[in-house]
Amino acid sequence: MQTPVDVVPGFNLQPRLRVFAGSEMVLGWGKIMLLKLIRETGSIAEAARTMDMSYNHAWNLIRIMNNNFKDPLVAASRGGKGKGGAR
């Protein structure tokens, strides 16, 4: 869930960045958080757990991003703990 950066009384403006390819959103706040957690943990599974989402859902988001940018945003190797990983 997205939370405000600073909680202050009154109104504040928090614009959202969203990138679309046609009608498909290929980058937004949730996908950016997923990318950040993959970078920090080196693991798609760990990033998904941290965001309380399924591994399959995380992979679907990664496929959408990788298919719509010139270069893939996430590179993964199979192998499980200690052998595989993502960057």
Side-chain angles (χ1 to χ4, degrees):
M1 173 185 278
Q2 185 172 358
T3 58
V5 176
D6 294 310
V7 178
V8 294
F11 295 100
N12 59 63
L13 179 62
Q14 296 181 15
R16 291 183 181 196
L17 169 71
R18 293 181 176 170
V19 178
F20 286 85
S23 63
E24 183 169 48
M25 186 173 60
V26 297
L27 191 65
W29 183 85
K31 291 176 181 140
I32 292 169
M33 289 303 300
L34 180 62
L35 292 172
K36 179 178 182 260
L37 288 167
I38 290 169
R39 182 185 64 210
E40 289 174 2
T41 64
S43 166
I44 295 168
E46 184 63 30
R49 274 192 292 277
T50 301
M51 292 185 72
D52 198 26
M53 74 170 62
S54 74
Y55 178 77
N56 284 338
H57 183 65
W59 255 114
N60 285 335
L61 296 177
I62 291 165
R63 281 187 196 102
I64 289 169
M65 290 184 285
N66 282 349
N67 289 338
N68 284 284
F69 286 88
K70 181 179 177 183
D71 296 320
L73 300 183
V74 176
S77 58
R78 291 180 179 234
K81 190 170 184 135
K83 296 181 183 179
R87 55 180 180 84

